[in-house]
Amino acid sequence: MSTFQAPKGTYDLIPPDSAKFLAVREAISAPLRDSGYGYIETPGFENVELFARGVGESTDIVTKEMYTLTTKGGDQLALRPEGTASVLRAALEANLHKAGNLPVKLWYSGSYYRYERPQKGRYRHFSQVGAEAIGTEDPVLDAELIILADQAYRSLGLQQFRILLNSLGDRECRPVYREALQTFLRDLDLDEETRRRIEINPLRVLDDKRADVQKQLTDAPRLRDYLCDACKAYHEEVRALLTAAGVVYEDDEKLVRGLDYYTRTTFEFVHDGLGSQSAVGGGGRYDGLSEMIGGPALPSVGWALGVDRTVLALEAEGVELDLPVTTSVYAVPLGDEARRALFTVVTELRRAGVAADFAFGGRGLKGAMKSANRSGARYTLVAGERDLAEGVVQLKDMESGEQAAVGLADVVAELKTRLG
Ligand code: ATP
Ligand code: MG
């Protein structure tokens, strides 16, 4: 061990487990790539104001969880706590919405930072794959995104996840509900901070995890009863499209989510094997966000799925991913001449697309064969001076144990055939 450790609330992805993370990112992004979403990458930090305005001054993310810093040049920056505000900022900056091709459909994958109380499934550095469809108000788009996330989780083999669905209304009906809710909440027995929250963002109080708070919320006015006709019709359409696609969801009228920008469709993917950190992903429609960060009206919808929690969900369900083979052939040279000859073979194999590795450092046969075993390679190539004198290498099938001498000049072709 060195003098240093990974900072509190972070962990390193190391082989072999790191392969699961790559596979999860791949599985989540594949349905998006096949559905017209283009890849976008934005900086790991942004002007702090982007998040203050875009995510919301009243959210935990902005008030408590953001890593902020002042640069030597005096700029106020924040490590990105989420992806949507940055992606929308970048799309507006590049005028993607003006290319006459709405919606702008984008996907991303990267690291996010939140100063949280670390626990299993909750870290200070975590990773998400996300998708945003910008500039179009169409229930089909909301449904598309939910269906693609469902498809991604299913392709990974996950089964014990549920989709929670709600509508948060729009700028017509939500203010009316907000007032009704505030009136109700002000009469409850709540602590100072929660009382403040009632004035800034009362919907967030519904999301309070504490049992004594939840107990008082049983008779709270329900957003569903306040939705305007347009919001109701929109929501019904999203629900019908999901049902038609065979996607099972649960109506959850308490689902509000921790970001201020959501309107209408809101959803969360939860996994029942994860304890209290049960949300594996979430998203929704954010019709007002563009204007909140100084852009034109661009109704949009998106989601972000947490890679770390998805890996935990796979482990909780005992799903073994079908990971790509890392090494197919492992070469073990005995002596200097064999080292040069086999390294040439390994290079040729690699150029021919065969995953191959090599016993470096002039190790003895026993130790090198141990490494060959550990590598999981299907075949090993062993060659010593006598083999080379005969122009052959020993090709061993690690599954059957069979071994045969193969001409040095033929071995690449032979392995390509055998590996199909
Ligand atoms: P939670 O309610 O658990 O705090 P959230 O609502 O803050 O989640 P989002 O901002 O919607 O989460 O982020 C989308 C996904 O990113 C979450 O569903 C989760 O899988 C993941 N995520 C969020 N925060 C963390 C974290 N601190 N550590 C690991 N994963 C996280
Ligand atoms: Mg959170």
Side-chain angles (χ1 to χ4, degrees), residues 30-51:
L32 297 169
R33 286 182 271 127
D34 289 345
S35 308
Y37 289 74
Y39 179 66
I40 184 166
E41 202 167 309
T42 64
F45 49 81
E46 297 273 354
N47 186 318
V48 69
E49 272 300 305
L50 172 69
F51 300 118

Side-chain angles (χ1 to χ4, degrees), residues 61 114 116 121-123 126 128 257 259 279-282 304 306 309:
I61 294 180
R114 294 183 194 176
E116 304 212 56
R122 188 175 296 288
Y123 310 104
F126 58 98
Q128 290 182 338
R257 310 197 21 79
L259 298 86
V280 285
R309 286 188 201 168

